[in-house]
Amino acid sequence: MTGSADDPKPRRRPRLSDVAQLAGVSLGAASKAISSPDAVRPRTRLAVERAVKELNYMPSEAGRALASRSTRMIGVAMPTLHHPVYASFFHALQNTLAERGYLTVALAHDFDREREIVLIERLVRRGVDALVLIGTDHAARTIALLDRVGLPYLYSWSSDEALERGAVGFSNRMAMHELVCHLAGLGHRRIAMITGEVRYNERARLRLKGVQEAAASKAMELVEVATAPLTITGGLDGYRRLDPVRKGVTALVCGTDLMAAGALHGARQDGFSAPEHLSVTGFDDIELAGVLTPPLTTVRAPIAEMAHATGEAIMAMLKSGEAVPTQVLPTALVVRASTGPAPAEPHATVTSFVSR
Amino acid sequence: MTGSADDPKPRRRPRLSDVAQLAGVSLGAASKAISSPDAVRPRTRLAVERAVKELNYMPSEAGRALASRSTRMIGVAMPTLHHPVYASFFHALQNTLAERGYLTVALAHDFDREREIVLIERLVRRGVDALVLIGTDHAARTIALLDRVGLPYLYSWSSDEALERGAVGFSNRMAMHELVCHLAGLGHRRIAMITGEVRYNERARLRLKGVQEAAASKAMELVEVATAPLTITGGLDGYRRLDPVRKGVTALVCGTDLMAAGALHGARQDGFSAPEHLSVTGFDDIELAGVLTPPLTTVRAPIAEMAHATGEAIMAMLKSGEAVPTQVLPTALVVRASTGPAPAEPHATVTSFVSR
DNA sequence: TTGTAAGCGTTATCAG
DNA sequence: CTGATAACGCTTACAA
């Protein structure tokens, strides 16, 4: 099928010079005909196009990258890819950048700062044209490295902490503020929170801060805060440590939907149901949120829009060579059935239920 | 020389020749000192190491790639990154390959064959050293392209369909077989299934086949099969279309845990609960499975092990230059509370429950 | 417009 | 073991 009589040919992958030769033009002309077809005579363009097809020529990015000093790769140092919102973000960012001919490379550091530096060094060596940093809380060494090598980078995800460099994201603080005000409106006075680790993670920190501030402004008591991994299991575990209902807490704010799912599960195991005994809230509005029992009241994070805006901002940055202004995307409170009026006598519930 | 008062130094990123010069050795020696430190005199190695540190030298992968004809990049054409199992797979594969100095690049085609080809072409141009294909069902054109350019590739995820090229995965068919036998043992005679689209997806196809075969061998009736997206919403929708309980179906097999979560939700909305009215099963054993209400009986897919084995196989392939043998990893039936004995009078349940 | 030739930053080859 | 020197495949002035 591929084998002709003279089979022992090395079959080197065709390169641009082969195309040029077959097309009867110079190397430079062939290059131009491919990269900017409108800058050459139609005659040349067609000859090159035909040769490309004939030879099944595929340009080598390695050669292009070396000569043009641009790999057309954008790196993203992600905390993780397991969490649905991060996966969605990467997916949308990749699609946005692919439209512009860029390849998006994601590395996950699992919320480990030291590992983040290692990954970023790797991306720098790989010659990415720019870097997306998730969140604004990064090691000084990381930033120093990027500045030293002159690599353009952009903060994404969190816009609370205004930075000279500009960030594309949303306000975790304000979103939580709105959510807690919703709880206040339902008559809740004693609330608790399950948060992700706030160290090295300003998203978690600012969500907590938003809750604290809102609680204070509405004269609610933030009875207790538990720190747990940003997973379903983490939420379950956090719920158990908190044991909110028995402490007279009527609303439990969770840092993510996944944690809220775990908390809801924990409450159910204890024989408590939402929102009768305890209102529960999440953050992110992932698909799961809508089909939990009960459906989860949460905050919609504009992940896809943010990814798109981040991609556009990166492109703008690369074009202009300058940092871009901060962009704040709106979040939205999504009220579902997991929140309701605070029970009149919260403590009464403690003894009235023993079933699982 | 550059130290004049007016010092507009361009601050070019240091390259290997700078290192060599500062270390007082030749370019070749410096290269070797870095890539294979044991192949040079200690004196040379130290001088180079010092120069590297002094200049903050970071090798350029672009240059290395061009000269060595290896980018040390491995491409993966993923169906999606949204689904937790695919995200986990990528994560584990990336970690495995990173240990060997390889960068793993993932592109998602969203179960679109044509898009897969485009993505793979992109990866080929990028010069990836090898490619991981998810599943065994790919367009002939895709395979032809890979063979034409001589790019090593490996099938992963599905091992049912033995291929000359070898695949690292597990048997979707056998896993489902075991699961359905479990249902048979519980006395179920009439079952239904919610499957993912089987076209261009042998995982879905083989899971369905496993169910069909097992049902036949156990004299069970596979009453109906609904096709739905591999999501929670898909499962919910599938459940509604099937309306299994009213059809006297006592067990519902879902193609993935996510779909099972949706189905469980649908059943609950209808006032049916598992496993009293309907047993429900999933596939994958994602974190969510354990905290659903009720916890889901499912099949554990060996994702992390598979990713690891895939990474090792790719490396072996690259080293030997030959295809590697097929590797079949074990799955495990995970029995939880969503399955139970078939109700004695399935039809009776229809009218006897109206709660919730 | 097109051709020529000089890089881009490594590795690889082959004498010394 | 080290040092020149030639690739690697492409872009990009600069000249024609």
Side-chain angles (χ1 to χ4, degrees):
Chain A
M1 126 188 176
T2 50
S4 44
D6 50 329
D7 218 328
K9 51 179 161 183
R11 279 273 265 185
R12 189 171 44 72
R13 248 177 78 185
R15 48 187 174 197
L16 189 55
S17 61
D18 298 324
V19 172
Q21 191 172 16
L22 180 60
V25 301
S26 78
L27 188 60
S31 173
K32 230 164 269 167
I34 289 177
S35 58
S36 34
D38 300 323
V40 302
R41 223 185 336 168
R43 181 186 158 63
T44 309
R45 183 167 53 86
L46 262 91
V48 170
E49 278 174 359
R50 236 186 38 199
V52 164
K53 222 162 239 164
E54 168 104 17
L55 296 173
N56 272 128
Y57 170 72
M58 300 180 101
S60 150
E61 283 287 329
R64 204 196 50 65
L66 191 55
S68 66
R69 241 147 275 151
S70 157
T71 55
R72 297 205 193 188
M73 291 199 292
I74 306 291
V76 204
M78 307 279 293
T80 175
L81 279 166
H82 282 115
H83 194 112
V85 293
Y86 289 112
S88 295
F89 177 81
F90 173 62
H91 189 264
L93 179 64
Q94 176 161 272
N95 283 342
T96 301
L97 291 172
E99 282 172 17
R100 320 291 270 263
Y102 282 76
L103 178 67
T104 311
V105 176
L107 259 37
H109 55 65
D110 287 311
F111 297 97
D112 179 335
R113 274 191 152 202
E114 286 309 307
R115 214 169 135 56
E116 182 179 47
I117 300 186
V118 173
L119 300 189
I120 289 179
E121 268 179 358
R122 213 172 277 169
L123 290 170
V124 170
R125 269 209 284 274
R126 287 280 171 184
V128 294
D129 291 349
L131 202 62
V132 175
L133 296 178
I134 303 300
T136 51
D137 192 347
H138 301 274
R141 271 171 57 215
T142 300
I143 304 305
L145 166 65
L146 297 179
D147 288 338
R148 178 158 53 72
V149 302
L151 183 63
Y153 61 95
L154 179 68
Y155 295 110
S156 186
W157 212 278
S158 224
S159 68
D160 292 279
E161 296 171 341
L163 297 149
E164 68 294 342
R165 190 143 261 274
V168 174
F170 55 88
S171 171
N172 290 281
R173 211 170 109 250
M174 300 312 277
M176 270 306 192
H177 193 99
E178 186 182 0
L179 180 67
V180 171
C181 286
H182 161 72
L183 292 175
L186 289 170
H188 296 275
R189 319 303 307 165
R190 290 171 59 81
I191 66 177
M193 178 168 185
I194 304 178
T195 174
E197 173 61 57
V198 297
R199 202 174 172 219
Y200 304 146
N201 182 339
E202 87 294 335
R203 279 96 68 213
R205 198 160 53 234
L206 290 162
R207 287 178 196 180
L208 172 57
K209 193 172 185 182
V211 172
Q212 289 169 328
E213 290 176 351
S217 80
K218 295 290 179 180
M220 300 162 83
E221 186 183 354
L222 178 54
V223 177
E224 200 173 340
V225 174
T227 297
L230 301 168
T231 59
I232 295 177
T233 311
L236 175 58
D237 180 55
Y239 177 89
R240 286 179 180 156
R241 274 184 286 138
L242 241 33
D243 195 8
V245 181
R246 294 195 174 77
K247 287 178 183 155
V249 163
T250 65
L252 176 61
V253 176
C254 300
T256 67
D257 287 350
L258 248 25
M259 294 202 289
L264 236 26
H265 187 68
R268 198 179 307 118
Q269 285 185 329
D270 264 11
F272 298 120
S273 65
E276 292 77 18
H277 308 293
L278 180 73
S279 284
V280 174
T281 67
F283 200 113
D284 289 337
D285 196 24
I286 60 178
E287 189 192 16
L288 178 64
V291 297
L292 286 172
T293 311
L296 191 66
T297 291
T298 188
V299 171
R300 178 178 180 281
I303 302 300
E305 298 89 323
M306 187 170 70
H308 190 256
T310 297
E312 298 297 336
I314 283 278
M315 290 296 102
M317 201 174 189
L318 249 30
K319 194 159 292 173
S320 73
E322 318 213 331
V324 293
T326 291
Q327 257 182 82
V328 183
L329 277 57
T331 56
L333 177 62
V334 179
V335 178
R336 295 205 184 89
S338 70
T339 49
E345 296 170 39
H347 293 79
T349 60
V350 176
T351 51
S352 59
F353 282 81
V354 288
S355 68
R356 284 190 56 120
Chain B
M1 173 176 151
T2 52
S4 55
D6 184 33
D7 207 348
K9 46 179 166 184
R11 278 276 266 190
R12 190 173 43 71
R13 249 177 78 186
R15 48 186 175 197
L16 189 54
S17 61
D18 298 325
V19 172
Q21 192 172 17
L22 181 60
V25 301
S26 77
L27 188 60
S31 173
K32 228 162 270 167
I34 289 176
S35 58
S36 32
D38 300 323
V40 300
R41 224 185 333 167
R43 181 184 160 63
T44 308
R45 183 167 53 87
L46 261 91
V48 170
E49 278 173 359
R50 235 185 39 198
V52 164
K53 221 161 237 164
E54 168 105 16
L55 296 174
N56 271 128
Y57 169 72
M58 299 180 101
S60 151
E61 284 286 329
R64 204 195 50 65
L66 190 56
S68 66
R69 247 147 307 199
S70 156
T71 56
R72 297 204 194 189
M73 292 199 291
I74 306 292
V76 204
M78 307 280 293
T80 175
L81 279 165
H82 282 115
H83 193 111
V85 293
Y86 290 113
S88 295
F89 177 81
F90 173 61
H91 189 264
L93 179 64
Q94 176 161 271
N95 283 342
T96 301
L97 291 172
E99 281 172 17
R100 320 289 270 262
Y102 282 76
L103 178 66
T104 310
V105 176
L107 258 37
H109 55 68
D110 287 312
F111 296 97
D112 179 335
R113 273 191 155 203
E114 286 310 306
R115 215 170 135 54
E116 182 180 47
I117 299 186
V118 173
L119 300 188
I120 289 178
E121 267 178 359
R122 210 171 280 168
L123 290 170
V124 169
R125 269 208 285 275
R126 287 281 172 184
V128 294
D129 291 348
L131 202 62
V132 175
L133 296 177
I134 304 299
T136 51
D137 193 346
H138 301 273
R141 271 172 55 215
T142 299
I143 304 304
L145 167 65
L146 297 180
D147 288 338
R148 177 159 53 71
V149 301
L151 183 63
Y153 61 95
L154 178 68
Y155 295 111
S156 186
W157 212 279
S158 225
S159 69
D160 291 279
E161 296 171 340
L163 296 148
E164 69 293 343
R165 190 144 262 274
V168 174
F170 55 88
S171 172
N172 290 280
R173 209 170 111 251
M174 299 313 277
M176 270 304 192
H177 193 99
E178 184 181 1
L179 180 67
V180 172
C181 286
H182 161 71
L183 293 175
L186 289 170
H188 296 275
R189 322 301 308 164
R190 290 170 60 79
I191 66 177
M193 178 169 184
I194 304 179
T195 174
E197 172 61 57
V198 298
R199 202 174 172 219
Y200 304 146
N201 183 339
E202 88 294 335
R203 278 97 66 214
R205 197 159 55 234
L206 290 162
R207 287 177 197 181
L208 172 57
K209 192 172 186 182
V211 171
Q212 289 169 328
E213 290 177 351
S217 80
K218 295 289 180 181
M220 301 162 84
E221 186 183 356
L222 179 54
V223 176
E224 200 173 340
V225 174
T227 298
L230 301 169
T231 61
I232 295 177
T233 311
L236 176 57
D237 180 55
Y239 177 89
R240 287 179 180 154
R241 276 184 285 138
L242 242 32
D243 194 10
V245 181
R246 293 194 174 78
K247 287 178 181 153
V249 163
T250 64
L252 176 61
V253 176
C254 300
T256 68
D257 287 349
L258 246 27
M259 295 203 288
L264 237 25
H265 188 68
R268 198 179 308 118
Q269 285 184 328
D270 265 12
F272 298 121
S273 66
E276 293 77 18
H277 310 293
L278 180 73
S279 284
V280 174
T281 66
F283 199 113
D284 288 337
D285 196 24
I286 60 177
E287 188 191 18
L288 178 63
V291 298
L292 285 172
T293 311
L296 191 65
T297 292
T298 188
V299 171
R300 179 178 179 280
I303 302 300
E305 298 88 323
M306 187 170 70
H308 190 257
T310 297
E312 298 296 337
I314 282 279
M315 289 297 103
M317 202 174 187
L318 250 31
K319 194 157 295 174
S320 73
E322 319 213 332
V324 294
T326 291
Q327 255 181 85
V328 183
L329 277 57
T331 57
L333 176 63
V334 180
V335 178
R336 297 205 184 89
S338 71
T339 49
E345 297 169 37
H347 292 80
T349 60
V350 177
T351 51
S352 60
F353 282 81
V354 287
S355 68
R356 288 203 80 137

